[in-house]
Amino acid sequence: MECAKCKKYFERPLELYNGEWACPYCHGELALSDIKLIVTDENDNAFTISEISYLRALKTPKENRAEYLRLLSDAMELCKEAAQSGHPKAMLRLGYLYDCGYFPIDETEAFKQAYEYYRAVWSGKINDMRGSKVNGEYSDGGLKVKKNAAKLYLNLLKNAPPKMKRHERYDYRSEFSALCEMGLCEGGAEFEYTAQSTDRAERVIGILNGCFSKDHSPLFGLCLLNGAEFSSLAAIKDTGKRSDKSRLIHIAEKVSVYLINLKNGVPRAIKSERDLVADDGDYALYFFNPNGKKYLSAGSVASIKRSLEKGDAVTDFARVNELVSIICRGRESLDYVFSDDDILVHKSHAESAVHALGDLIKTVQKNVETGEK
C-alpha cells in the first residue's frame, strides 16, 4: 500500500481505535480505497483456506465452542491477510465479518471498517494477476463481486447505528442513487447476514478474549457497563478443562483487569471469585494487556502501563479515570479499545511513548467533544 501524502510504500497501515487508518511513516489519514485490488495465486490461496476454516466453524456443534473459536480465529486472520494484500473477495468477506459483529469491537468502529471495505471493492478496479490460472471470474472487471459489495454496502447504510445515520457521508438515499446510476444495484448479496450476539456481557468477554489473539492484540481498553451486565460477564464460564471457572478470572491471570466504580472512581482489581460482585451502579471495566504481538518495545509498554495506573500521592489510576471521564461525556460508544498503533500514530522519534499516550487522550477528548468516536 502506498501513502498518497508521503508516497512511501508499506505492507501494514496503523489501525486506530475509531476505525480509521493512518500511514506508519507520516501518520496521515488513509482510506481503504487506496488499496489496489489485485488477485494473485498467493492471496487467492489464503482467502480459499480462510473460507474453508470459516465454513467449518459454522458447522461446528455448539457444545464444542473452543473448536469453533479456533477455526473462526484462523479464518479471520487469513482473511485479513488476503484483504490487506488487495484480494477483493477477501475484502468483501472481511467487511461482512465486521458488519455482522464477528470482531469484538465497538459498533461504531465495526461500522466504519465494513463501510470502507465494501466501498473499496465496488469503487475499485480489479486486476487478476494469476495468468493461466484465471478462470474468468474477473474477466468482466469483477462485476458480480462489485454488485455484491454494493448490495452489502447499501444494507449497511440502511441499518447504520443512529449516530452514523446523522453523518452526511453515510446517507443511504444519495448512495443508493449513485450506485443505481453505475449499474451496481442488481441481484442479491452473496453472504447471508448472520449477526453475532449483541448481548453486552458476550461483547465484553469477546473484547477480552482478543487479548490472546495471534494477530495484533489490544494494548488497553475501557468498557462501560452496569452492575447487572458485570454480573452476567462474571458468570460466563471458561471452556474445555476449566469449564467450572469464570472466564473473566482466567483472563485476569495474564491480563490486568480492574472494575472502576463510576461514582467514586475507585478501581478494584479482578483476581479471584470474591472480586466478581457488583451492585446496581455504573462501572468501567479497564484492562491492560502486555501479551501478544506488539510493535512497541517491552519498556515502552511497561511505561504506558505505569503512566495509566499511577497518579499523585492521593489518587492512583489518574489517567485511566481521565479517559473514563471523557468517554462518559459522549456515552454513545460503550467500548474503547486501543492498540499500540494508537500510540505509534502520535509518537515521533524524539518523543516517548508516555508523551504519545497524552496526545492520544487529547485526541479522544477532541473526538468526543465533536461527536465522533
Side-chain angles (χ1 to χ4, degrees), residues 198-259:
T198 56
D199 179 81
R200 186 77 189 113
E202 289 286 350
R203 168 68 65 175
V204 176
I205 206 70
I207 290 173
L208 292 170
N209 282 334
C211 291
F212 303 100
S213 170
K214 297 175 185 177
D215 197 12
H216 193 195
S217 59
L219 181 60
F220 68 97
L222 285 161
C223 303
L224 303 182
L225 67 174
N226 58 38
E229 290 166 341
F230 176 73
S231 296
S232 296
L233 172 67
I236 295 175
K237 298 299 183 182
D238 214 338
T239 56
K241 295 180 180 179
R242 308 179 71 165
S243 58
D244 60 335
K245 188 173 185 178
S246 168
R247 177 63 182 162
L248 184 58
I249 296 299
H250 187 188
I251 291 170
E253 291 174 358
K254 294 186 177 180
V255 178
S256 296
V257 184
Y258 289 81
L259 188 67

Side-chain angles (χ1 to χ4, degrees), residues 99-345:
D99 190 0
C100 295
Y102 280 89
F103 286 92
I105 56 178
D106 180 79
E107 66 173 5
T108 301
E109 179 183 348
F111 174 87
K112 286 184 178 180
Q113 292 282 11
Y115 172 89
E116 292 290 353
Y117 277 110
Y118 290 159
R119 185 177 179 83
V121 175
W122 66 252
S123 64
K125 179 182 178 182
I126 301 174
N127 293 308
D128 194 337
M129 308 297 290
R130 293 175 294 171
S132 59
K133 294 184 179 181
V134 175
N135 59 13
E137 185 177 15
Y138 301 101
S139 59
D140 58 355
L143 185 59
K144 180 181 177 181
V145 176
K146 286 176 175 289
K147 286 183 176 180
N148 194 28
K151 185 76 173 181
L152 290 165
Y153 174 79
L154 290 173
N155 185 67
L156 176 77
L157 295 181
K158 193 172 184 179
N159 298 287
K163 179 179 178 181
M164 310 311 293
K165 284 186 177 180
R166 296 196 292 267
H167 198 300
E168 61 180 12
R169 183 184 185 189
Y170 307 119
D171 183 66
Y172 171 80
R173 292 183 180 180
S174 61
E175 293 298 279
F176 177 78
S177 298
L179 287 170
C180 284
E181 290 181 8
M182 296 172 64
L184 294 177
C185 285
E186 301 172 16
E190 176 182 341
F191 304 140
E192 182 180 350
Y193 189 87
T194 54
Q196 296 301 287
S197 170
T198 56
D199 179 81
R200 186 77 189 113
E202 289 286 350
R203 168 68 65 175
V204 176
I205 206 70
I207 290 173
L208 292 170
N209 282 334
C211 291
F212 303 100
S213 170
K214 297 175 185 177
D215 197 12
H216 193 195
S217 59
L219 181 60
F220 68 97
L222 285 161
C223 303
L224 303 182
L225 67 174
N226 58 38
E229 290 166 341
F230 176 73
S231 296
S232 296
L233 172 67
I236 295 175
K237 298 299 183 182
D238 214 338
T239 56
K241 295 180 180 179
R242 308 179 71 165
S243 58
D244 60 335
K245 188 173 185 178
S246 168
R247 177 63 182 162
L248 184 58
I249 296 299
H250 187 188
I251 291 170
E253 291 174 358
K254 294 186 177 180
V255 178
S256 296
V257 184
Y258 289 81
L259 188 67
I260 301 172
N261 190 315
L262 295 187
K263 187 175 182 179
N264 55 28
V266 175
R268 181 212 305 167
I270 304 298
K271 293 184 177 181
S272 65
E273 297 288 335
R274 66 175 177 270
D275 301 316
L276 300 181
V277 179
D279 58 25
D280 295 331
D282 291 326
Y283 296 88
L285 191 78
Y286 160 75
F287 69 91
F288 192 95
N289 172 41
N291 308 291
K293 186 177 181 181
K294 296 287 186 292
Y295 297 100
L296 289 168
S297 68
S300 293
V301 170
S303 66
I304 290 170
K305 187 176 190 296
R306 285 194 299 270
S307 180
L308 281 165
E309 298 177 10
K310 295 299 180 183
D312 52 34
V314 179
T315 308
D316 281 347
F317 281 67
R319 275 195 152 168
V320 172
N321 279 319
E322 182 184 357
L323 262 174
V324 170
S325 177
I326 292 169
I327 291 169
C328 286
R329 289 176 213 164
R331 203 67 178 181
E332 291 191 11
S333 297
L334 300 178
D335 304 308
Y336 282 73
V337 181
F338 304 93
S339 72
D340 45 356
D341 282 3
D342 292 295
I343 302 295
L344 291 170
V345 77

Side-chain angles (χ1 to χ4, degrees), residues 5-21:
K5 185 177 179 181
C6 69
K7 304 300 181 184
K8 290 186 178 180
Y9 179 83
F10 51 89
E11 292 186 359
R12 189 189 75 87
L14 298 178
E15 299 178 58
L16 308 183
Y17 82 98
N18 59 355
E20 296 177 353
W21 284 17

